[in-house]
C-alpha cells in the first residue's frame, strides 16, 4: 500500500494511504463543482429576474449594494466598488448610467467634490423591492442546495443510461 505524508497546519506529519488522499481530492473537486453549479443556477435566475424587471443584472447588483451593503441605505462609490468587486472607474460609469435611468441619485460631498454618496430613488426602491420578492424562494432553494451533500442529478443519470 502506498502512503502519502499529510500535514495539517498545526500538527505533525501523518501517513495517509494514497487512495485516501485521492478520495479527499476527488471529494473536494466534486464539492467545488457542485458549489459552483448551484451558484451559477442562482445567478442565472437573478440575471433573468433583473431583466424581467427592466434593469440590467449590474444595475440590480448596484441597487443591492446601495441599499444593503453598508447598512446605512447609502454607499460611496469606493464601497460599491468593493461590494461589486469592480474597478472604481467602472463603478463610476455604472452609477452614472443608473442615475440617468432614475434608479439612484448621487450627492457630492460639500468639502470634497470627488467623494460621491449614492442612494436609491423611489423608482430604484420599488424595483429593488420587486426583485427582492422574486428572489426570496430562490435564495431559500439555493441555501438548501449549497448545504446538501452533492448528489448526481437525475438528468445526468438519464444521459448515462442512454449511453449504455
Amino acid at each position: 500500500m502506498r502512503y502519502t505524508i499529510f500535514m495539517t497546519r498545526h500538527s505533525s506529519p501523518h501517513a495517509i494511504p494514497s487512495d485516501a488522499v485521492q478520495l479527499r481530492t476527488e471529494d473536494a473537486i466534486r464539492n467545488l463543482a457542485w458549489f459552483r453549479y448551484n451558484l451559477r443556477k442562482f445567478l442565472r435566475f437573478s440575471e433573468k429576474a433583473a431583466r424581467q424587471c427592466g434593469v440590467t443584472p449590474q444595475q440590480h447588483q448596484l441597487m443591492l449594494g446601495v441599499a444593503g451593503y453598508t447598512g446605512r441605505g447609502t454607499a460611496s462609490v469606493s464601497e460599491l466598488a468593493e461590494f461589486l468587486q469592480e474597478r472604481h472607474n467602472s463603478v463610476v460609469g455604472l452609477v452614472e448610467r443608473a442615475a440617468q435611468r432614475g434608479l439612484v441619485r448621487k450627492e457630492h460631498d460639500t468639502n470634497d467634490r470627488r467623494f460621491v454618496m449614492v442612494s436609491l430613488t423611489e423608482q430604484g426602491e420599488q424595483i429593488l423591492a420587486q426583485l427582492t420578492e422574486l428572489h426570496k424562494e430562490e435564495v431559500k432553494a439555493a441555501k438548501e442546495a449549497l448545504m446538501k451533500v452533492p448528489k448526481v442529478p437525475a438528468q445526468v443519470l438519464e444521459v448515462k443510461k442512454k449511453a449504455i
Side-chain angles (χ1 to χ4, degrees):
M1 177 180 277
R2 296 185 62 209
Y3 286 87
T4 300
I5 301 300
F6 177 75
M7 288 187 64
T8 61
R9 196 167 163 199
H10 301 288
S11 68
S12 57
H14 299 284
I16 297 178
S18 293
D19 55 345
V21 171
Q22 180 65 27
L23 186 59
R24 284 185 185 173
T25 301
E26 288 171 5
D27 285 347
I29 290 169
R30 186 155 190 242
N31 287 338
L32 180 57
W34 281 95
F35 177 77
R36 296 290 306 227
Y37 167 70
N38 283 299
L39 280 178
R40 190 66 213 132
K41 276 179 50 177
F42 176 78
L43 290 173
R44 182 69 47 133
F45 166 85
S46 186
E47 291 164 356
K48 185 177 178 182
R51 288 185 186 99
Q52 287 175 343
C53 288
V55 297
T56 67
Q58 294 80 8
Q59 289 168 337
H60 176 215
Q61 292 300 304
L62 174 69
M63 291 187 297
L64 277 173
V66 169
Y69 181 58
T70 66
R72 298 185 311 258
T74 63
S76 70
V77 172
S78 296
E79 290 167 334
L80 292 168
E82 174 61 25
F83 174 75
L84 296 168
Q85 291 294 289
E86 292 288 345
R87 293 184 325 264
H88 187 275
N89 61 332
S90 297
V91 175
V92 168
L94 178 59
V95 167
E96 186 59 39
R97 290 185 300 279
Q100 289 171 359
R101 287 264 336 264
L103 303 172
V104 300
R105 73 178 65 80
K106 305 182 302 181
E107 279 187 48
H108 292 273
D109 186 281
T110 53
N111 297 327
D112 185 351
R113 302 266 315 145
R114 296 173 298 174
F115 189 75
V116 177
M117 289 301 290
V118 182
S119 58
L120 294 181
T121 63
E122 189 175 323
Q123 179 186 2
E125 288 175 357
Q126 289 172 355
I127 292 171
L128 183 58
Q130 183 181 5
L131 281 163
T132 300
E133 196 59 38
L134 288 172
H135 278 74
K136 282 182 181 177
E137 285 301 313
E138 197 68 24
V139 167
K140 183 179 174 184
K143 183 178 178 181
E144 289 172 7
L146 290 170
M147 300 307 251
K148 279 194 234 175
V149 174
K151 293 183 177 150
V152 178
Q155 63 266 33
V156 173
L157 295 175
E158 288 299 317
V159 170
K160 285 183 179 180
K161 286 179 186 175
K162 289 177 185 176
I164 296 177

